[in-house]
Amino acid sequence: MKKHVLFALLAAAALPLSAAVFTPYAWAKPVYVGVEGGHIAVSGYDAVSYFEGDGVPVKGDAAFAVEHDGAVYHFASAAHAATFKADPAAFAPQYGGHCSWAMSRGYLAPGDPLAYAVVDGKLYLNFNQEVKAKWDQDRAGFIAAAEKNWAVIPDDAKFGG
């Protein structure tokens, strides 16, 4: 009798995991907006600034806010906001702004907007500079692994939740 109960409990626990692997999800994925809430993506940094000028990120301003995928992005100018609006996928960080290295391992972790790299025209954030240094050792390998893992992350997944 105890074996049947244990088996039923194990089967029930495994069901959500198997559903997460085999359930098709919409394109919208979770965007990291911090643990305090506010729905501000990239910790308020201007996502377009990573790709222009010297590529050093600058803080955005709430006066130039754009909502995308349930998160609010701030920009340093109306021109940057318009550029983002025209093609958000070209500027939004990969994996919803979560740590790229953690995603390569199959889980969500915060992305630090100052621990970043632009690779092949895409923005990748990492948890901190130490993790970024590890990620930099095999960017292509970690990106390939992260792409596979991101494909099965549920749309409603949240860091810490």
Side-chain angles (χ1 to χ4, degrees):
M1 176 73 171
K2 286 183 182 180
K3 287 183 185 177
H4 293 294
V5 172
L6 181 60
F7 179 77
L9 288 173
L10 288 173
L15 184 59
L17 294 174
S18 63
V21 173
F22 299 109
T23 304
Y25 293 101
W27 286 104
K29 292 286 188 172
V31 175
Y32 177 68
V33 292
V35 292
E36 290 88 26
H39 295 95
I40 307 301
V42 199
S43 298
Y45 278 82
D46 180 334
V48 174
S49 69
Y50 292 88
F51 298 91
E52 294 191 348
D54 58 7
V56 175
V58 299
K59 272 292 212 179
D61 186 321
F64 307 112
V66 174
E67 196 215 332
H68 175 68
D69 280 347
V72 177
Y73 291 79
H74 289 174
F75 298 94
S77 68
H80 278 197
T83 299
F84 182 85
K85 261 189 196 178
D87 190 4
F91 300 101
Q94 300 303 293
Y95 320 122
H98 292 90
C99 175
S100 298
W101 184 84
M103 185 52 53
S104 75
R105 299 293 193 231
Y107 62 91
L108 298 176
D112 180 343
L114 299 177
Y116 68 95
V118 175
V119 179
D120 296 328
K122 295 179 180 182
L123 175 60
Y124 297 88
L125 305 181
N126 280 286
F127 180 73
N128 59 26
Q129 293 297 335
E130 183 180 327
V131 170
K132 182 186 175 298
K134 190 182 307 186
W135 183 79
D136 284 341
Q137 293 175 5
D138 183 17
R139 287 178 176 180
F142 289 129
I143 290 170
E147 289 295 318
K148 289 178 185 174
N149 291 330
W150 184 244
V152 296
I153 291 290
D155 295 348
D156 60 352
K158 290 187 173 89
F159 164 71

